[in-house]
Amino acid sequence: MSDRRVQSGSVRGFTLVEMIVVIGVVAVLMAILLPALLGARSSARKADELSSIRQVGAAWANYIDYAKNRLLPGYLEPQVQEAWRVSYKIAYDGSEVPRSDAAPYPWRLLPYLSNQHVMVLSPRHTLTDDPRSQLTSIAYEPAFGYNALYLGGWYERVEADGRPTVRFELSNTIAWTFNAIRVAEQQVVFASSTVKNGGLSFDGMEDNAAGSHFVVPPTVAQTPQWTASGAAITVVQGGPGAPVPAGRYTSQIAVVFADGHVNAEGAGALFDQRKWIPVADRADYTHVP
């Protein structure tokens, strides 16, 4: 037998320098691609949000048709509901919504949204088939705030003679009917909103931030609420803060206008009283309380 000599070739691995180069290339690619992927996801979520607020606006219009041109009330204090003998039902089981939760707009509007509470539910809350566990969240922390002080009336108490009183009732700034809205294509009805403390500046809110059931213009009566600089909003109202418009997913604010069209607006574009108060005739309009 002859000897068989086997020569084994040496197996060459990566050097440390080559591994560092590869890791560096991967890091650069991630730095390039990750923002694009995140941006695409944010854009998709913003598109879904605009679709939801469009349906909320359509439900608002359906309410007006049913109510013979009357606008959806902005707020109905429980005593007012009692005085008017009105109540609202949960479609899930036919039970009655507590009057405290029926004060803001959502539970009045949901029948015109086929009772799809997901359309108004803030992303902060987990969607469940049974809305009874989220009565208050749906009522007070929806994704979209209603321009409730100036559309439909904010009914805040009942006088001794049984007459409900409305905030700013004597200022003649409230639209009670759709026909009272002077420029429907620029009248803000709903906007993505949240509550921020006074003195805080921000150019958007966290994706899962709680919403607010109403949203305020830059100035309410003669009291400044917020200012805008580019995409940033600064809350100037002190105390517990103010329910201000805010962009979710992007710095753009989802808005539906009275004529039904929706848009993603910059903060600066909404810093105009004519877009909030139906009778406003200038951007810096104010009125007596």
Side-chain angles (χ1 to χ4, degrees):
M1 294 178 63
S2 61
D3 291 336
R4 183 176 295 173
R5 300 177 65 186
V6 179
Q7 277 192 333
S8 61
S10 61
V11 179
R12 184 177 179 276
F14 284 106
T15 67
L16 179 60
V17 173
E18 289 172 329
M19 290 182 65
I20 293 174
V21 170
V22 171
I23 292 172
V25 170
V26 172
V28 170
L29 290 174
M30 289 183 63
I32 294 172
L33 295 176
L34 188 57
L37 292 174
L38 292 176
R41 185 174 68 172
S42 295
S43 297
R45 289 180 173 179
K46 175 60 71 175
D48 288 342
E49 181 186 38
L50 290 173
S51 176
S52 292
I53 201 171
R54 179 181 286 107
Q55 293 183 65
V56 169
W60 180 78
N62 289 338
Y63 177 97
I64 294 169
D65 287 342
Y66 179 81
K68 298 180 180 179
N69 203 42
R70 296 284 296 185
L71 298 185
L72 178 76
Y75 187 87
L76 288 180
E77 200 273 345
Q79 287 185 347
V80 176
Q81 297 175 50
E82 184 176 1
W84 285 356
R85 298 180 181 178
V86 295
S87 62
Y88 304 93
K89 301 290 185 181
I90 303 171
Y92 183 82
D93 63 356
S95 59
E96 190 169 305
V97 178
R99 285 196 166 116
S100 59
D101 291 326
Y105 82 85
W107 287 105
R108 287 193 296 284
L109 192 64
L110 279 173
Y112 302 90
L113 273 169
S114 300
N115 293 296
Q116 298 181 57
H117 60 287
V118 64
M119 292 299 171
V120 298
L121 190 67
S122 170
R124 177 180 183 179
H125 304 288
T126 302
L127 175 64
T128 63
D129 292 333
D130 183 356
R132 294 174 300 180
S133 62
Q134 298 176 320
L135 283 170
T136 302
S137 298
I138 292 170
Y140 288 92
E141 296 181 340
F144 311 118
Y146 186 30
N147 186 8
L149 294 176
Y150 295 101
L151 297 179
W154 185 287
Y155 292 82
E156 53 189 357
R157 64 180 179 273
V158 177
E159 299 292 350
D161 62 1
R163 182 181 67 87
T165 60
V166 178
R167 190 174 301 181
F168 307 143
E169 185 174 10
L170 301 180
S171 67
N172 295 319
T173 57
I174 302 166
W176 305 99
T177 66
F178 187 84
N179 292 341
I181 296 175
R182 294 171 58 183
V183 188
E185 62 267 24
Q186 75 171 19
Q187 175 67 62
V188 172
V189 180
F190 295 95
S192 53
S193 61
T194 192
V195 177
K196 293 289 187 180
N197 293 330
L200 183 65
S201 294
F202 63 99
D203 59 2
M205 59 174 158
E206 302 81 4
D207 291 356
N208 63 346
S212 169
H213 65 94
F214 74 114
V215 60
V216 295
T219 300
V220 172
Q222 297 176 341
T223 304
Q225 304 291 314
W226 55 272
T227 61
S229 177
I233 285 179
T234 299
V235 183
V236 296
Q237 175 63 11
V244 297
R248 184 179 277 115
Y249 310 125
T250 69
S251 61
Q252 299 292 297
I253 300 159
V255 181
V256 62
F257 296 87
D259 68 342
H261 87 275
V262 303
N263 199 25
E265 297 277 338
L270 294 178
F271 192 68
D272 186 336
Q273 295 286 88
R274 291 170 295 189
K275 294 191 173 184
W276 297 89
I277 302 176
V279 301
D281 56 2
R282 61 184 188 276
D284 60 350
Y285 177 88
T286 62
H287 64 87
V288 295

